[in-house]
Amino acid sequence: LEKNGLAGAVTDIMIKEVGASWVSLCWKKPSVSRGSPVITYKVETWLCGEGAFWVELGRTPIPQFDAFNLKANKCYHFRVTARNKRGWGDAIMTTHKVDLSKPTQMPVITSDLESIIKALKDSPVRLSVQVSGEPAPKVTWQKDSIDATLIPGVTVIEDDMGSHVEITTINTETTGKYTVTAANLAGRTTKSVLVQSVENIEVYDAYKKFKKWQGLVQSPLAPYMINGPRDRRIQVGQSIQLTCRVVSNPWPVVKWFKEDEPIIPDDYTNIYNETDFQHVQVDDVTIDHCGKYCVEAFNEHGSIRSHFTVIVDNGLDRYMPPFFTKELKDTVITQGCNLLLHCRVESYPYIGVTWHQSGSKIRLKESDFKLIDDDGNVVLVLFEIQRSQSFNCTIMNEIAENSTACQVVVNTPDQPLVQIDEDVIRHSMGPRFVSWPKNQEVVEGCTVTIECSVENCSTLIMSRDFLPKSIDGSILKFSKVSGNTWSATMSDISTES
């Protein structure tokens, strides 16, 4: 979408379920990359055979709608139109009539399918799923967007137990991403699995043991958190379950805290575990349950903590889709320097933030850093970038999803930091870094000197905590040495500084 453009068109209108006089609809949100996010959706219906006109059924802020009081044994068409603050977008209608005399149900893949399956090279593999829906869904398999039945060595079979893909031999032609699609008149659903080949038998045996955590905890082991609790949002009066997964040997003692105070079981709070899964169930949630939480697991070999936040509000009254007040900008840096990406968002309720690097989800190393503060600032810092890549920041809440992207160009040290016209540089009034401070490894107690080169600069400061200047107690001021060179000295360095 262009910036400040109208809302895009929704896609894949699906009939979740059909009753005698009602229909449950859902659809995919328009893609929102720039401009104003979707505020509401308008749902209309056309009664086939009784007039050629559309009748508005209602509006909804979420991509689903239940239509009631329809005429039994009749056929209907439905269409959905998205709106943002710029106006209504294009309307999209159902591709076929919805017959109320024939109850339907969206297809559902009821069996679990692992996201990644590793198999020994030249060995056979069988992928199986079970599907439900009314009418009976048609099941198809694809490998990397190609019909799986066209691939040598791959056979698709359907029987009373479900749909199966039999791979006779794992090799370069049969490994890849397999996608199963179940579709009927009500809609469709998909699941994917990545099949990978392992050549070393010892690595394959280790992988099979890795899938069974009992094989990892036969020797003494400090607690290791496989899945930590995630940030949650809940409405007043509802129930919430907080869950984590911890393994160790011997089994750990697990404690839950809210604002550093232990959570104590009562009539509304239940703490329990299922094998290596740890749970806290809270019923009849109130505003007082909002705050910062953490879970701690410890045994004689060590301890581990995971922190998360629980947001409690009064529901849909104040919901606002996420949007960017400051988007990511294309950047040019020198190879080996640190990369700092910053954008700012506004949203209600709480958002989830995901960073991607050239299409792959970013998993932070110990030297990397990311931050989301109460003012909506979203910051990502990556250590010693080596090559040019594209970066994408995606934000999401219950209302909508939005994203912003930028291109990071990495120059070798002998190239200029910016690639723009020399006349623009010569007449520019804004500060411009010619060279960045270098990463240093130092010994505690030493004195550290930090140097960089900046043009058109009168004041230079450095912060560790990304706080506003007025309240940041860790600001370090640079002094101008000569020309465009600035320097700052930190004495008696410690791990805290």
Side-chain angles (χ1 to χ4, degrees):
L1 296 177
E2 295 181 358
K3 193 170 184 179
N4 299 329
L6 297 176
V10 303
T11 56
D12 292 342
I13 300 179
M14 293 173 283
I15 313 301
K16 292 171 60 178
E17 202 166 351
V18 174
S21 62
W22 57 271
V23 174
S24 181
L25 307 167
C26 67
W27 54 88
K28 292 184 179 180
K29 306 171 188 174
S31 57
V32 179
S33 57
R34 295 183 181 275
S36 174
V38 172
I39 299 173
T40 188
Y41 300 94
K42 178 171 65 175
V43 181
E44 299 169 288
T45 184
W46 181 332
L47 177 57
C48 299
E50 297 189 15
F53 55 87
W54 291 97
V55 177
E56 182 175 339
L57 292 177
R59 301 185 183 186
T60 173
I62 59 177
Q64 63 183 42
F65 187 83
D66 294 331
F68 295 98
N69 300 322
L70 303 176
K71 293 185 178 181
N73 300 320
K74 296 291 185 179
C75 296
Y76 286 85
H77 271 298
F78 296 89
R79 74 176 181 183
V80 179
T81 313
R83 175 179 181 145
N84 61 12
K85 67 181 181 180
R86 301 291 173 182
W88 293 101
D90 296 329
I92 298 296
M93 64 179 287
T94 48
T95 56
H96 59 272
K97 297 177 183 178
V98 179
D99 191 348
L100 298 191
S101 64
K102 299 178 181 178
T104 62
Q105 185 178 14
M106 276 193 63
V108 178
I109 299 176
T110 56
S111 55
D112 292 330
L113 193 63
E114 296 182 31
S115 58
I116 299 177
I117 293 180
K118 297 181 185 291
L120 193 62
K121 187 177 180 181
D122 297 329
S123 65
V125 169
R126 182 184 175 99
L127 308 177
S128 300
V129 295
Q130 293 180 335
V131 179
S132 64
E134 184 65 36
K138 179 182 179 182
V139 180
T140 58
W141 290 84
Q142 290 185 321
K143 175 190 170 292
D144 299 330
S145 301
I146 300 174
D147 190 345
T149 58
L150 303 177
I151 300 172
V154 178
T155 306
V156 178
I157 302 173
E158 290 194 23
D159 54 26
D160 294 339
M161 299 302 294
S163 178
H164 319 278
V165 167
E166 292 188 347
I167 306 173
T168 55
T169 304
I170 292 295
N171 52 39
T172 55
E173 292 185 358
T174 56
T175 56
K177 183 179 180 180
Y178 286 80
T179 303
V180 56
T181 302
N184 63 10
L185 294 176
R188 65 174 186 167
T189 184
T190 63
K191 272 191 177 182
S192 298
V193 57
L194 185 63
V195 177
Q196 297 179 338
S197 173
V198 179
E199 297 184 7
N200 191 315
I201 182 65
E202 295 179 354
V203 174
Y204 179 68
D205 290 338
Y207 167 72
K208 290 196 296 184
K209 292 180 180 179
F210 180 79
K211 292 177 64 176
K212 298 180 180 180
W213 288 103
Q214 294 84 347
L216 290 178
V217 295
Q218 293 175 353
S219 58
L221 179 71
Y224 177 77
M225 194 159 295
I226 304 170
N227 301 111
R230 57 187 177 87
D231 295 340
R232 298 287 299 278
R233 188 213 66 83
I234 190 69
Q235 186 174 334
V236 170
Q238 294 185 346
S239 299
I240 187 173
Q241 185 182 66
L242 309 173
T243 301
C244 69
R245 189 180 182 189
V246 183
V247 295
S248 70
N249 189 20
W251 287 109
V253 177
V254 177
K255 293 185 177 181
W256 297 82
F257 298 88
K258 176 183 180 292
E259 307 292 355
D260 295 329
E261 294 293 330
I263 297 177
I264 300 174
D266 55 28
D267 293 340
Y268 299 96
T269 306
N270 183 24
I271 300 177
Y272 63 100
N273 70 287
E274 298 172 326
T275 62
D276 47 0
F277 288 91
Q278 309 289 332
H279 307 281
V280 172
Q281 175 78 28
V282 182
D283 298 322
D284 194 15
V285 171
T286 66
I287 294 294
D288 293 336
H289 288 103
C290 181
K292 296 182 183 294
Y293 287 74
C294 80
V295 57
E296 180 183 37
F298 60 90
N299 64 9
E300 59 194 61
H301 301 291
S303 64
I304 189 170
R305 274 197 173 203
S306 179
H307 298 265
F308 59 101
T309 303
V310 174
I311 304 295
V312 181
D313 59 32
N314 291 315
L316 281 166
D317 294 342
R318 293 181 50 208
Y319 276 30
M320 179 176 68
F323 64 94
F324 289 93
T325 57
K326 179 183 179 182
E327 299 198 22
L328 296 176
K329 294 182 178 180
D330 294 342
T331 307
V332 180
I333 65 172
T334 302
Q335 188 177 34
C337 288
N338 300 338
L339 171 65
L340 187 149
L341 298 177
H342 171 252
C343 56
R344 192 175 185 278
V345 303
E346 288 190 12
S347 162
Y348 189 87
Y350 202 68
I351 59 169
V353 178
T354 306
W355 289 91
H356 287 84
Q357 175 178 300
S358 297
S360 301
K361 187 176 180 180
I362 295 178
R363 303 191 181 278
L364 298 184
K365 303 187 291 290
E366 289 186 3
S367 54
D368 299 333
F369 174 83
K370 67 178 180 180
L371 165 80
I372 312 171
D373 66 15
D374 294 337
D375 293 326
N377 292 298
V378 181
V379 176
L380 174 70
V381 180
L382 299 181
F383 181 74
E384 292 187 352
I385 293 294
Q386 297 298 323
R387 59 191 180 92
S388 300
Q389 298 197 70
S390 60
F391 289 83
N392 180 279
C393 178
T394 303
I395 56 178
M396 181 190 310
N397 67 3
E398 281 86 344
I399 297 297
E401 177 180 333
N402 207 340
S403 64
T404 179
C406 70
Q407 183 70 34
V408 176
V409 178
V410 178
N411 287 345
T412 56
D414 57 342
Q415 288 183 295
L417 192 59
V418 291
Q419 296 175 331
I420 56 178
D421 190 86
E422 292 185 1
D423 290 335
V424 176
I425 297 176
R426 187 179 301 112
H427 296 95
S428 174
M429 300 301 293
R432 184 177 70 88
F433 277 90
V434 178
S435 65
W436 295 92
K438 295 182 179 180
N439 297 322
Q440 300 184 50
E441 293 186 5
V442 297
V443 178
E444 188 172 5
C446 292
T447 298
V448 179
T449 300
I450 303 172
E451 290 187 349
C452 61
S453 181
V454 189
E455 294 181 349
N456 302 325
C457 177
S458 59
T459 304
L460 184 63
I461 60 174
M462 182 174 69
S463 172
R464 181 191 62 190
D465 299 321
F466 300 95
L467 296 175
K469 182 179 177 181
S470 58
I471 61 173
D472 193 346
S474 64
I475 283 182
L476 180 64
K477 293 186 177 181
F478 281 70
S479 301
K480 197 167 188 178
V481 180
S482 62
N484 295 320
T485 303
W486 295 75
S487 175
T489 301
M490 302 176 65
S491 58
D492 194 18
I493 196 77
S494 65
T495 54
E496 295 180 355
S497 58

